[in-house]
Amino acid sequence: MIQLKGIAAAPGISIAKVYKIGKEELIVPQQPIDEAEIPLQIQLFEEALIQTRKEIVDLQKRIAADMGQDEAEIFDAHLLVLEDRMLIEEVIARIKREHLNVAYIFSEVLKKYIDIFSKIEDEYLKERTADINDVGKRILRNLLGKERKGSLEDLKEKVVVVAHDLSPSDTAAMHKQSVCAFVTDIGGKTSHTAIMAKSLEIPAVVGVEEATSKIKSGDTLIVDGSMGVVIIDPDSATLEQYRKEEVKLKGFVEKFLEVKDLPAVTKDGKEVEITANIELPEDVSAVKLHGSHGIGLYRTEFFYMNRKDLPSEEEHYQAYKYVAEEMKPYSVIIRTLDLGGDKFLSQLEIPREMQPFLGWRAIRFCLARPEIFKVQLRAILRASVHGKLKLMYPMISGIEELEQANKILEESKAELSKEKTPFDKDIEVGVMIEVPSAAMTADLLATQADFFSIGTNDLIQYSLAVDRTNEKVAYLYEPAHPAVLRMIKNIIEAGHHAGIRVGMCGEMAGEPALILILLGLGLDDFSMPPVVIPEVKYIIRSLTLSQAQEITQAALKLSTGREVEEFSQAKLREILG
Ligand code: PEP
Ligand code: MG
C-alpha cells in the first residue's frame, strides 16, 4: 500500500481499478467488427493516411518558411512511411483476417515495426524508428478521431483514469463515460481539467507528481478528491475505513440536498442568488437536480472542442435555445468564447505561445476575428427570445475592449433587425472581472456594464502571478490572500456604487469557508459547479448577515492568506457545529 499526496481538485471518494494513459500513449480499444464493416474500416484507414499526409505537408511548408528547406526535408522520411506498401497491406490483410477495428490493428502493426527497426544494427535504419513512431502516432490520432467510439466509452467497468495530464478537451470527451475518478501528475485546482471533473461530479486529485510512475494499470486505487489523497493497492483495513468515509460523505450530501430547493437566505433575511456553472448544454439536468436558480456561467468554448470545424450560427443557436428553454424562468449568462490559456482549439490553428494565459486569447481573439465573434453573438441574440439570456465578455482588461466588443454586438443587433429576426433588445451585457487592471478600474467599467461577474480563477493567477495549472506553485495560489480580498472588495463597492449587481463565477464562490467572507463583502450572486450548490445553500442558511460581516471585518485585518483561510475554516466549523 502506497499513499500519494496531491491537490484536491474535485470532491468525493472513489475506489476502482486503474486505467492508465501514458504520457504519449493513445487509448486504443480492441473492438470486434462484422464482415460488413470491413470496407468501412479500410476506408477509415485510407482517410487517415490522406489526412496525415496533409498534416505533414502543411507542417513541412510551415517549417520551410520558418526554418529553411533543409529542416523541412527531414519530414520526407515521414511521408515515405505513409507510402510503405508493406505496412499498408499488412494492416488491410489483418483487418480482413482478424475482424478487429482498424485503430487496434494499426497500433499492433506499428508496435511490431518499431520493435523490428529498433533491433537493427544499421545506425541509419535504427534512426528510422523515431520517424515510424512519430508518423504512426499521427495516423493513430487521426484514426481515433474518426472512430469516435475508440475511447474510454468502450470500457465495461468503472475505472480511475491516471494520466500525466489531461487537456480540458480530453476531459470533455470523457463526459458520461466509465470514468469514476481522475488522477494526474500535473495540474492545479482551477485548471479547466479540474473544473470539468467537478462538472462531471467525479472525484479528482491533480498534481500528484509521481502518479504515472508509481501507479500501474489494473492497480486498485482509492481516490479521495476532498483531501487530495491517492492510495495504491490499499490493505483491507484502509479499504474498510474509506468505505465508511464514503457512506459518511453520502450522509452529508443527503443532508445538504434537503435544502437544495429552498432560497439562499441568511437567518436575518438577506437573500443571495445561487446559480450554476456549466460547460455543455447537457449539464442542465445536473443544474436542475442540485436546485440552481439559473446559470451564472456557461463556458461556451467547450462547444468548439473535439471537432474539426467551427460551430455554425445555427448550431450555437440550437444549443443556447435549448439551455434558455430548459432553465426558464431563470436566467442564463452565456460567456462568449474564452479560448486560450489551457483551452486550445485545434481547428483555429492558433500558434502555440510562450505565455498562453497572457496571450492572444478570449476577448482579444474575438475582437481581432469579428467574423468568428459575430457568429456567436448573433446566435445568442437569436436565442434570447426563448428564455432569459444575458451575455458577458471574458478577459476584459479595460474600457476600450468593452467598447469594442459592444460595438460588434451593436452591429450584430443591427443586422438582425434589418433581417427582421427577433431578439431581446434589452439583453443584459456583463463584464467578467478577472484581470487586475479591470479590478482596479471597476468604477469605470461599471458605467458601461449591466452586471459584473468576478472570475477569481484568473484574477488570482494574474494578481498573485501564479499559473493556475502548475502544481509546483499551487501552494501560492491562495484565494484568501489579502490582495485578492481587497480586489474583490473594490470590485463589489464599485459595482454597487454604480447600482449594478456583482456576482462571482470563479471556483472561490463555491469554497465553503470563503463564502462567509464573500457574503460579508456584499456579493450578490454566487455561481459554482452544480454539485456544490446544496452545501453552499446550507451554509448560507445557517448564519446571519451580521455574523458574516463581523467575520469579514476580522478577516480583512489579517495579513496572510493562510491566516484568513484558517480563521474562516474555524468560523465555519463553529457555525455548523
Ligand atoms: C474564472 O477565471 O474565474 C472563470 C470563471 O473563468 P474560467 O475558469 O473559464 O477561466
Ligand atoms: Mg477566466
Side-chain angles (χ1 to χ4, degrees), residues 190-206:
T190 61
S191 65
H192 283 93
T193 302
I195 288 172
M196 205 58 201
K198 269 197 204 159
S199 272
L200 296 171
E201 293 177 36
I202 54 176
V205 183
V206 299

Side-chain angles (χ1 to χ4, degrees), residues 421-437:
T421 307
F423 64 91
D424 175 4
K425 300 213 164 40
D426 299 319
I427 189 166
E428 285 186 32
V429 180
V431 173
M432 281 194 76
I433 306 289
E434 50 183 349
V435 179
S437 58

Side-chain angles (χ1 to χ4, degrees), residues 377-384 409 412-413 416 423-424 427:
L377 291 176
R378 283 176 53 101
I380 298 172
L381 289 167
R382 282 174 56 200
S384 65
L409 179 66
S412 307
K413 284 185 181 175
L416 290 175
F423 64 91
D424 175 4
I427 189 166

Side-chain angles (χ1 to χ4, degrees), residues 335 338 432 434 458 468:
R335 195 246 319 261
D338 184 22
M432 281 194 76
E434 50 183 349
D458 280 318
R468 65 194 263 192

Side-chain angles (χ1 to χ4, degrees), residues 313 316-317 320 374-384:
E313 181 182 315
H316 278 287
Y317 165 72
Y320 306 154
K374 262 193 187 168
V375 170
Q376 186 179 34
L377 291 176
R378 283 176 53 101
I380 298 172
L381 289 167
R382 282 174 56 200
S384 65

